[in-house]
Amino acid sequence: MTGRKKVTVVGAGNVGATCALEVARRDYADVVLVDIIPNFAAGKALDMNQMASVTGYEPAIVGSERYDETKGSDVVVITAGKPRSPGMSRDDLVTTNEAIVASVTKEVARRSPKAVIVVVSNPLDAMCHVAQAVSGFPKERVVGMAGILDTARFSAFIAWETGSSVKDVQAMVLGGHGDQMVPVVSATTVGGVPLEQLTTRGKISKMVERTRKGGGELVSLLGTSAWYAPGAAAAQMVDAICLDQKRVLPCTALLEGEYSVDGLYMGVPVRLGAGGVEEIVKLKLSAQEKKMVRESAAAVREVVGVLTTTS
Ligand code: APR
């Protein structure tokens, strides 16, 4: 018994490895990396453990193509699945990634029945439904990573536009993790000053549009989807859960009436702590934002409708 937390990351590719490294560097958890490709996770783990002696954290990462080592994890991050290629929407991945996320969830859930599952694979909102149905976990313990990433992108654009430090930008992006996501301008401030007082409507609209298409911008530059910001965003959720931080963060949670959405995973502010989603925080939205949330929910529902996984 080490007394340290145990975090499993499934998928040792770009996003999974970035997340695993971020978590390992915090030094509070043993990290298990799993990937279906033989030796791939073991190789990444070995490299990260050797990096530890340079940057100064405990080398506590194991990698495997099997799940035995994942037993008793506190948090399981699922990044397994195909990323986007240029010209693809996240929704184009639904059938391929449904099968992968379902099989991975089955393996991790029976070995770590008390874990909180953090889903990262796309299309994110739909993959949360798959993970919850297959695990049978209560809704509080299956949560998706999208809002922190989308908010990070929005915040970066705002910092550049206003010439401010990104540390002083307080923003929130809600809704589904697709091109109809909802950057909540009414709740966005820089150093406490509402964004609407700092720049023009036209410039705000441009930043909102760039945020909504932020993933696609990266795909067209990289030829695949992004990983540094997504991996770091997933690690922030792991921190909040493992360290019981009670952070209020935009995450993908199962809504049952909140924000007038019922029976659908979507991005909302949540209080994230040891129990997973401990509260869905209600934010006052403008009429326009409410309409955008409804439109985003309709888009998510369409993708969820394609799923064949049942609980
Ligand atoms: N079990 C375990 N690992 C798997 C499985 C499986 N059944 N199927 C695929 N994988 C692994 C792949 O072998 C690969 O190493 O998942 C990893 C995915 O890594 P990348 O291809 O680098 O993709 P990445 O950019 O990390 O994106 C992963 O996260 O952000 C989302 O849209 C993205 O759905 C994608 C996922």
Side-chain angles (χ1 to χ4, degrees):
M1 282 289 286
T2 60
R4 282 156 68 93
K5 294 285 178 184
K6 185 166 179 178
V7 177
T8 287
V9 180
V10 188
N14 285 334
V15 178
T18 305
C19 174
L21 184 61
E22 286 285 328
V23 173
R25 293 181 70 159
R26 314 282 218 269
D27 238 348
Y28 63 75
D30 293 333
V31 179
V32 183
L33 199 51
V34 179
D35 200 283
I36 199 167
I37 301 172
N39 300 323
F40 188 55
K44 293 250 175 142
L46 181 60
D47 192 11
M48 288 180 204
N49 283 329
Q50 291 168 350
M51 180 179 167
S53 62
V54 181
T55 54
Y57 54 91
E58 292 303 319
I61 310 144
V62 295
S64 178
E65 50 275 10
R66 290 187 302 276
Y67 286 83
D68 305 344
E69 295 280 354
T70 69
K71 200 165 174 283
S73 295
D74 298 288
V75 179
V76 176
V77 182
I78 299 180
T79 76
K82 289 260 173 294
R84 285 202 267 176
S85 329
M88 263 185 153
S89 84
R90 294 182 184 89
D91 300 347
D92 294 333
L93 300 166
V94 66
T95 305
T96 313
N97 284 354
E98 178 181 8
I100 294 172
V101 170
S103 73
V104 163
T105 303
K106 198 167 157 232
E107 298 291 342
V108 292
R110 66 191 175 92
R111 290 176 176 86
S112 302
K114 294 188 180 149
V116 177
I117 297 179
V118 175
V119 182
V120 180
S121 311
N122 276 312
L124 193 268
D125 312 272
M127 293 306 109
C128 290
H129 279 272
V130 173
Q132 206 227 340
V134 172
S135 65
F137 286 6
K139 62 177 180 176
E140 295 78 16
R141 290 199 285 119
V142 180
V143 57
M145 188 296 292
I148 299 173
L149 170 63
D150 297 329
T151 303
R153 288 177 175 152
F154 192 37
S155 300
F157 303 146
I158 292 167
W160 295 330
E161 177 57 40
T162 59
S164 313
S165 164
V166 77
K167 289 182 191 158
D168 297 323
V169 179
Q170 185 77 36
M172 182 71 76
V173 178
L174 309 182
H177 188 45
D179 293 353
Q180 285 180 298
M181 66 182 72
V182 185
V184 185
V185 175
S186 67
T188 302
T189 59
V190 181
V193 181
L195 179 63
E196 283 154 318
Q197 291 176 22
L198 294 171
T199 186
T200 62
R201 272 190 187 187
K203 286 193 170 143
I204 293 174
S205 293
K206 278 202 182 120
M207 291 191 283
V208 164
E209 248 344 86
R210 191 173 175 195
T211 302
R212 288 177 140 195
K213 303 209 169 97
E217 181 180 3
L218 269 300
V219 173
S220 57
L221 290 169
L222 296 166
T224 184
S225 45
W227 58 89
Y228 295 117
Q236 187 175 58
M237 291 176 67
V238 174
D239 285 350
I241 298 161
C242 285
L243 305 176
D244 195 22
Q245 289 173 332
K246 319 280 186 203
R247 296 281 315 267
V248 176
L249 298 167
C251 297
T252 302
L254 183 63
L255 301 181
E256 290 180 313
E258 299 90 351
Y259 290 88
S260 305
V261 176
D262 197 20
L264 200 67
Y265 266 94
M266 228 172 70
V268 288
V270 309
R271 191 177 310 283
L272 203 59
V277 176
E278 297 183 350
E279 184 193 345
I280 290 173
V281 177
K282 315 265 176 352
L283 195 64
K284 207 161 181 278
L285 301 179
S286 69
Q288 171 68 8
E289 287 159 352
K290 281 186 190 157
K291 181 169 166 274
M292 286 161 79
V293 166
R294 278 197 301 277
E295 286 166 1
S296 183
V300 173
R301 245 182 236 292
E302 220 170 280
V303 184
V304 170
V306 175
L307 298 174
T308 56
T309 307
T310 47
S311 37

